[in-house]
Amino acid sequence: MSKHTPSFIESIAERLHLIPNLHGEIDELPPIVEPGKLTDYPPPDKWDDWTEYEALSGQKREKKNYMIIPTTCFNCEAGCGLLSYVDKKSLEIRKFEGNPYHPGSRGRNCAKGPATINQINDKDRILYPLKRKGERGSGEWEQVTWDEVLDDIAAKIRVALKEDRRNEVVYHVGRPGHEGFIDRILQAWGVDGHNSHTNICSAGARFGYAIWQGADRPSPDHGNAEFILLISAHLESGHYFNPHAQRIIEGMMNGAKLAVMDTRLSNTASMANYWMPTYPGSEAAALLAMAKIIIDEKLYNEKFLNDWVNWRESLAELNPDSEITFENFISEISKLYAEYTPEFAEKESGVPAATIIEVARQIGRAGTRFSCHNWRSAGAGNLGGWAVARCLHFLNVLTGSVGTVGGTLPSAWNKFKPAGFSTPPAQKFWNELHYPLEYPLSHYEMSFLLPHLLKDGRGKLAVYFTRVFNPVWTYPDGFSWIEALSDESKIGLHVALTPTWNETAYFADYVLPMGLASERHDLTSYETHSGMWISFRQPVLREAARKMGRETTFTYETNPGEVWEEDEFWFELSWRIDQDGDLGIRQHFISPYREGEKISIDEYYQYIFENTKGLPEVAAREGLTPLDYMRKYGAFEVEKAVYEKHMDPVAIENLAHEDIDAARGEVRKNGKLVAIISDGKARVGFNTPSKRQELFSKTTKDWGWPEYAFPTYVKSHVHPDNFAENEVVLVPTFRLPTLIHTRSGNSKWLAEISNRNPLWMHTSDAERWGIKTGDLVRISTEIGYFVNRAWVTEGMRPSVVACSHHIGRWRRVQDAKNNRWATNQVTIKEEEPGKWKMWVVEGIGAYKSDDPDTSRIFWTDGGVHQNITFPVHPDPVSGMHCWHQKVVVEKAHAGDEHGDVFVDTNKSFEIYKEWLAMTRPAPGPNGLRRPLWLARPLRPAEEMFYVEKK
Ligand code: SF4
């Protein structure tokens, strides 16, 4: 507080109330800590009664009394902790800040976390359940009650189940969560109905990791690393953005060096010690050249390779006549990778050979402290993108940095699995709309092919739930989605569960408002670092009401309007589907605490927390139940650090001498491999058939891809060999750190920061095309085109263009006004069968509303919807959609306007067929649909894995 003495003029002005009285007696708040010390967060013992100055009252320093309630951010997968400040007088949430008790985010958030406040206060949000009135897609809606919704949907599902049309009931998730919750629901219903967005996101990278070690994600220990290699912009916008970014910076502050492979000079690349602007799809060539250097210069970790890699099988495969010795193995892999010279890698990638050599040596020297990550980017962009992850992990394997301090851990070690109070049996169905025979190794469902598979006559859906999922806008080939969603003979009932309007919800029968971060229950746990944690998402106003002595039956009673949450929705729906109890569903929703009664949401979480390792004891120390502990702190650290879990000892009873194969370092029981011997003890090993890291993948060979049995470089569909002279690569996958996919549309702060997605191009390309920054350009894909503005920059690799995919949101004239911070108003017309046009009729602009900020909108450019002009490109091995596009860039044609889009869905169907023809379908060995050992979400009963049911 200033001790300034008011001037005469100030005193008069204060007395006349022309300015606030700034010099009267003020009852000052005590400091949180002693003067000179710093703290960022109110102490938890004051969270129920916290007073601070009201920011909007400025110098008047009015006070506000809050209840501080933790929850979990819902704006990306990272699941960072948030603290919600609830005004005790008005019972409104005023702001969100970081939760310092969250082990992943440690009190920090990216811009998207605090922006949750915009989303919950957005005037355009959906507040009540809506039912379609006119034709599907007509934009006419009426408000209905939750009871009507539940009864109608339950009746339709009940009929489908009774008629054994169980593959017609499908739940399709965009933003996941719930840690196993929906699996329990679907398995209780007995349907093979889980579909996800993974194949447009991470299936490529996941497959590359899974065939090495079972676990399908990397969990890098960046904070303790000596060398960090990132494929793409993870520091700025990548996977687990904020939790990873803070640990990358920590690692660098402790001396780690950072290398980044990225076509763009992203913010991450600009922070790196080495920027390697690889040509898209060439990353595996550069990585194998590094592997070759590590092998040739003997920088590898011999002990790790010897104990933990299936080198004997690898050697036998490479040279069946060779004597099985480790030296012979090294000699054979040297030969295998001899062609991947730094010069070859330079030719493919454009990165100087000298840089590749230098980075390889640094990785080799970092040894067990080498951490790395590869997620969407290269793994998601290219035919054979999965090979990038496989080759990147090869560097971890060579250096022995798998599961070590400062290394890269298998994800499963760091992800918590909650206990279920009742486990429904695995379903006895196999849904070929999700796992068609053509893709036996696909990592997760072939979700983006759904419209094509329906068009191909392979099935139909009776009830289709889309959960926080917007394929019309986020997926490739959105017009094929519009065609499918508009056809009631293909999709009987479409239920959109969504916190905000989106382009897919326009084509629903029910639009059901589901809560945001502070409006729902949920549980998250992710591999953000070497520890293991759980985070509790909770409906904050319901918890505030409880603390004030008001009990609530359903969460929508305390949320804005009648916004609900999915947990309770699924409980209620399941109960009503099985109205007589004859379907066997209700038995999985009975309270573990009250005999024969329906479980409540509190009981569901109570059971999980009571069965979370270490939580009951920690809670008891504070005199709390486990549930109350989670309500209070919002997160719990299950394990502080999890390293070298493959070394966990195995206690094997009645071990006979003949069970131990000392030469191979293996223990078998009745012929089955049960442990690996390392340092003289039996160890659990990795989650693969060999319990080791699988350099030679027998699975890949047995399932029809022998050429990919070892880590290799797969030439992408955007390799220059495949291009005509006027074609270039479009990289459409890069992210902006301040935007979510669909849900930033109702955040004014985020839209104010980022509201354009121009086409990045290098100066030399712009000169070649005669284009300047701001010029309109037409970008033609295989199935259509879009019109965008150019942004000419040196921060882009020549002969590659890039466009961020977050922007280009739209609403049609007939749709409810929504997301007006970010949506253009458009007209869509099918001019001939399959020939679709979209153009902007009104851009973004200021308007009057209850929120004064709507009249301050200064941006007009809502960007361009590029994804809708892309055909599907399913990788024949991993099933990943290969996002990168072969395009022609030219000056806009006469009459072209910014935001114009044209697509021919007949062509997109032809391209689907072309890529389908590249597959090598099941059955595989023993008549299997897919390998038994590879993970599959919502795993069916084992008999269902056989094409001919056994
Ligand atoms: S990284 Fe940002 S958006 Fe993602 S969970 Fe954390 S705060 Fe939310």
Side-chain angles (χ1 to χ4, degrees), residues 72-82 105 108-114 116 238-244 537 735 737 739-740:
T72 308
C73 182
F74 191 53
N75 283 340
C76 87
E77 200 176 8
C80 298
L82 293 175
S105 57
R108 303 167 206 173
N109 297 113
C110 77
K112 294 173 280 187
T116 302
H239 210 50
Y240 306 148
F241 163 30
N242 156 50
H244 275 188
R537 196 171 280 134
R735 305 180 70 175
L739 292 184
I740 313 153

Side-chain angles (χ1 to χ4, degrees), residues 440-441 698-708 920-921 924-925:
L441 299 179
K698 186 168 183 311
T699 302
T700 314
K701 182 182 176 190
D702 287 351
W703 285 79
W705 300 94
E707 65 271 47
Y708 299 151
R920 299 177 191 171

